[in-house]
Amino acid sequence: KSSNPLSNANIIYVKDTLAAFQELAVYHREKFSFPVMAITGSNGKTLVKEWLFQLLHSEFQIVRSPKSFNSQIGVPLSIWNLRNEHNFAVIEAGISEPNEMTKLQRMIKPTMGLFTNLGEAHSEGFSSDNQKLKEKLKLFTNCKVLFYGKDDKRVEKQISTLSGALEVKNWSLKGEADLQVTSIEKEPDWAHIAAKYQDKEISISIPFSDDASIENAIHCWLVCLYYKIDPVVLKSRFRM
């Protein structure tokens, strides 16, 4: 018996191991035609991904990024988890400098997108917030539908410039939107959120009262409503 643990292994020599790994991810992604949602933004990516899994796993066989695997190495590791038994994927993508998102978009090749927010995280790698926003939005190239909050005018302006047959679904605390939030009532450990959707009054309650969790929950609420999950069922799921 050989003492070499690699004696039965096939070894491939490449000039750039990261580039080769990413090419393998691109190849693997091409095997699947089910919806793939990509999530990016300055904050909330991992929480939104995990909440969407909890809210939608009864309707879909979901594969999602492990933990916060959203980097140039984390994304191909996430893509490698796609299997034939799945019918929906939620993959998060994070960048810290220009020219990174195009590589992530090519691997994920999302059919749907969700933009969480534009904040201060990773700003040091960009010349301005506008440059950082434009770079992040490259993830949604060729997406069919994009979910986002429209109250940040910087985000609203840039998303309006995206080309292609992109369907936008948005929410707002301040005005008209697909999901128009009409009130938020906070308790120490709960938040009660009321909204109007397709001319119907609906509501959810979540066991958190901080602004970040409320924003994350509304993102998830909009996606679930898009998939026509019964608002009464959603009200129960958000309380858990």
Side-chain angles (χ1 to χ4, degrees), residues 210-225:
D210 60 286
D211 291 339
S213 293
I214 291 170
E215 179 181 73
N216 293 339
I218 298 172
H219 283 313
C220 295
W221 197 13
L222 179 59
V223 173
C224 292
L225 291 167

Side-chain angles (χ1 to χ4, degrees), residues 136-150:
K136 288 180 181 293
L137 293 180
K138 290 179 182 179
L139 178 61
F140 307 125
T141 302
N142 299 322
C143 275
K144 296 177 181 178
V145 59
L146 174 61
F147 303 91
Y148 70 101
K150 66 181 295 186

Side-chain angles (χ1 to χ4, degrees), residues 46 49 65-71 73-75 77-78 91-93:
T46 302
K49 176 203 67 185
S65 303
K67 301 180 181 179
S68 296
F69 283 25
N70 59 36
S71 66
I73 295 175
V75 166
L77 286 171
S78 301
I91 307 294
E92 59 175 289

Side-chain angles (χ1 to χ4, degrees), residues 164-181:
L166 180 66
E167 179 184 6
V168 294
K169 294 294 181 181
N170 50 40
W171 62 267
S172 175
L173 300 172
K174 300 177 180 179
E176 292 186 2
D178 294 293
L179 179 63
Q180 183 178 346
V181 179

